[in-house]
Structure formats: C-alpha cells, structure tokens
Amino acid sequence: MAASEASSGERNAGLLLMAAAAAALIVANSPLAPAYAAALHLQLGPLDLHHWIADGLMALFFLLVGLEVKREWYDGRLSTPNERRLPMVAAAAGMAVPAAIYLAVVGSDWQLVSGWAIPAATDIAFAVGVLALLGARAPASLKLLLVTIAIIDDVGAVVIIALFYTAELSVPALATSAGLVGVMAAMNMFGVRKLWPFLLGFAALWAAVYQSGIHATIAGVLAALTIPLGRGEPRSPLKLLEHRLHPLVMFGIVPLFGFASAGVTLAGAQFGTLGLAVALGLFLGKQVGVFGAIWLADRAGLAPKPEALSWRQIYGAALLTGIGFTMSLFIGGLAFTDQALVDGAKLGTLAGSLTAGLLGFLVLRTAVPLPTPDADREEAREIFGEDADEDPTVCNDSFAR
C-alpha cells in the first residue's frame, strides 16, 4: 500500500466514524428518533438489530483485532521483549488509572461500580484518524507507539469482557467452543492453508460462544489465534484475511456500530456522576496513566522513549488514547441494563473522547517535530516500501495490510 493511500484510508475511516456518531446524535434528537429506536429493536430471528450489530458484526471487529495482535506478536512490532516493554507498561497504566479514577468518582454508589472498565480502552480508528489529520506533525514513530498501545488496550478490553461481563455459563456450550478452537488449531498445525475452513469454524464458534454465556465477540479473538501465519511470509492466510477484512470493518461495521450505539436523547439523558466518572477516566486517567508510565519507564531505565519523539508529542499521543469511543460504548452497553445508565455512560464517553481528541490534536499541532532519524525513516520504509519516502509521517495503522 502506498504511503499516501494508507494515510488517506486512516483519515477517511476516522472521519466516517465521527460522522456516524454525529448522525446518531442528530437522529436521536430529531423527529426521526422513534423510527431510529424501532429499527434498532427490530427482531431478526433470535436477536434484534442492535444485538446483531453489537454481538454479531462486532465479532468481525474483534477477529480483525485478534489477527492484528497475532501478527504483531509473532512477526511485527511486539515480536521481541524489548519492543513489547514500553507499550505494555503504558497500556497497563493507561487502563488501571482510568478505572481507578472512575471508581474514585462513583465512590460507594454500587449501582455504578460495574462500569469501571468503560474508560479503560482506546478507539484505534478515531485516534489514528486524528493523527492522520495532522499530516507531517504525526511522524511514523508516533503512530507506531500510539497504535501499539491501542492494540494492547484492545487485548485488555477483550480479557475484561470475558472475565467481568459474562452472564451465567453453559458448560456444554463452553466444551463445544473449546473443541472447535482445538479443531481449528489442529487445521493450522496440519497445514491447512485455505481460509474457508477457518471461516466456517469461526461461524460455528461464534454460535457456541454465544450459547455459552461469554460475550460472543470473544469468538473473534479465539478464531484469529488459529489462523495460519508464516513468520516473514508476505501472503500468509492471516495477512490475506486481515487485508480483506480491513475495509469491511473500518468503513462498514465500525461506523454502523457507532451509528447504532451513539444515539442519546439529550433532553432525557442525565450526565450525572456516571457521566463525570467516565469522562474524567478517559480524559484525565488516560493521559496520566500513559504519559506517566512512559516517563517513569524512561527515567528508571526500564524502557526508553522513542528517540524520534519529543515529550510534547508523547503527551499529545497520551491524550489521544483518551478517545475511547467504540470500545467504551461497547463496554457501557454490557455494564448496565438500565437504559438511563447506558445513556449516561454514552454521554460521558462522548464528552471525554471529544475533549481528549481535541486537546490531543491541539498539542500535537503546536508541537515542533524533531528531525526524523534514519532509523525511524527506515522503519516507515520497511512497513510501506519505498513510497514511505514520499511522506515519512505515515506508518502502518493497526489494521493496514
């Protein structure tokens, strides 16, 4: 993929998601609101439309996240302990501090405690879309750092969903799910290279996980771990599937989820303690956790910051991790059953994400870029080919290739 095309794709995906969220807010507060609500609750077989999007289509989003994580872990930016250390420390602090701030704000209100994970994750599409709007002020090393932290955030969010937002478990369905994962892993081990058997397995696994009581989207990550990936192989089944899923997910499923989930009737919704807790967790918790962890790791000699980045740029990137839109809305829908609380969590998510995104953009817009080292330029060229020389600020986003 040419560098200019990658940058345009990142920007367009982010802008489309922003437009979908804005459209949902407009429709939910217009005369079309009853039709919007009715459409989301339209029953289609065993699930209504909103649950088909949140439980079904979003499983493809998590499949794509899982493919990305596996590729980066075995054959990419997380393939060595040294490369994993800084983003893992930053991501861990960037999840723990927002959760702590959320719990501190809600205090002893046990009705709200279950929402502690809402501000823990970062929306990759939104964050990278903001970076793409910055052009030359977002160098390759900045995107690499931000995206890697966001990837680890998503893994953490998947684990949180599996452990803390699971209903009553069905042992037979869990056993079936484990068996299907075993069969798919065996296909990988015995050299199956066609994608269609794995896709059939993914569909069956989704149904089994849905019946098990664990959130069905976890099937996407489990299936991704079984897809074949040859180290250094340019056209492995995993990379091929990742490449094919990217436009469908980023230009179809994620904006659709944003449109289905961001609609809040502002006249009836209350920001309240819940909204404040989520907003502060995203805006304050993320920047303190991520930036603080990177600063401490650098000062302690545990993991140095990227040489190509100034501290101002790192602070701007830390702010952008506070854009929690997709994952925060998703977890908010799992955390509460009371629609008033779900709406309050949505308002907090929108307020925190918007504030973090705008301030992050302004900080990076006014940051003076450091000279791009040869190593940083070479890393961008390695990802994008010789076209990276045309625009050294462009790097691989979390779903590219």
Side-chain angles (χ1 to χ4, degrees), residues 114-148:
S114 61
W116 64 270
I118 296 172
T122 297
D123 189 297
I124 298 175
F126 251 127
V128 174
V130 172
L131 281 185
L133 296 175
L134 288 162
R137 295 188 178 274
S141 53
L142 185 69
K143 291 185 179 180
L144 288 170
L145 178 64
L146 176 63
V147 167
T148 307

Side-chain angles (χ1 to χ4, degrees), residues 28-259:
N29 293 277
S30 75
L32 295 174
Y36 173 77
L40 291 179
H41 291 93
L42 179 65
Q43 197 70 25
L44 299 172
L47 301 174
D48 62 25
L49 179 60
H50 186 266
H51 282 92
W52 274 120
I53 295 171
D55 294 2
L57 292 181
M58 284 297 284
L60 291 173
F61 169 82
F62 281 97
L63 174 63
L64 191 56
V65 170
L67 294 173
E68 170 69 9
V69 170
K70 180 175 179 178
R71 176 169 63 79
E72 295 293 354
W73 192 268
Y74 288 106
D75 196 30
R77 289 165 288 182
L78 300 175
S79 59
T80 68
N82 286 340
E83 291 172 325
R84 296 167 189 161
R85 191 173 298 124
L86 183 65
M88 289 183 75
V89 168
M95 299 184 79
V97 176
I101 288 178
Y102 176 94
L103 291 173
V105 173
V106 300
S108 59
D109 191 341
W110 292 103
Q111 188 182 19
L112 305 180
V113 168
S114 61
W116 64 270
I118 296 172
T122 297
D123 189 297
I124 298 175
F126 251 127
V128 174
V130 172
L131 281 185
L133 296 175
L134 288 162
R137 295 188 178 274
S141 53
L142 185 69
K143 291 185 179 180
L144 288 170
L145 178 64
L146 176 63
V147 167
T148 307
I149 292 172
I151 290 169
I152 298 170
D153 263 1
D154 280 346
V155 174
V158 169
V159 173
I160 287 170
I161 291 168
L163 294 179
F164 298 100
Y165 296 102
T166 294
E168 184 178 345
L169 296 177
S170 166
V171 175
L174 279 176
T176 302
S177 301
L180 287 168
V181 172
V183 169
M184 295 171 71
M187 290 193 299
N188 186 338
M189 291 177 60
F190 287 105
V192 176
R193 306 290 289 175
K194 298 289 187 182
L195 278 173
W196 67 265
F198 292 96
L199 295 178
L200 286 178
F202 167 56
L205 179 61
W206 180 88
V209 173
Y210 179 79
Q211 293 296 326
S212 73
I214 298 175
H215 200 272
T217 51
I218 303 301
V221 177
L222 295 175
L225 299 179
T226 69
I227 308 296
L229 170 66
R231 191 179 297 275
E233 183 182 4
R235 291 189 60 80
S236 66
L238 184 145
K239 291 181 179 179
L240 180 62
L241 180 58
E242 185 183 353
H243 178 73
R244 290 177 176 175
L245 277 178
H246 176 260
L248 171 64
V249 170
M250 300 310 294
F251 292 96
I253 292 173
V254 171
L256 181 60
F257 175 79
F259 182 74

Side-chain angles (χ1 to χ4, degrees), residues 311-338:
W311 283 112
R312 186 180 182 89
Q313 288 174 312
I314 290 176
Y315 176 62
L319 281 165
L320 293 186
T321 64
I323 304 175
F325 186 77
T326 303
M327 289 303 300
S328 294
L329 291 176
F330 188 78
I331 295 174
L334 299 178
F336 304 113
T337 55
D338 186 331

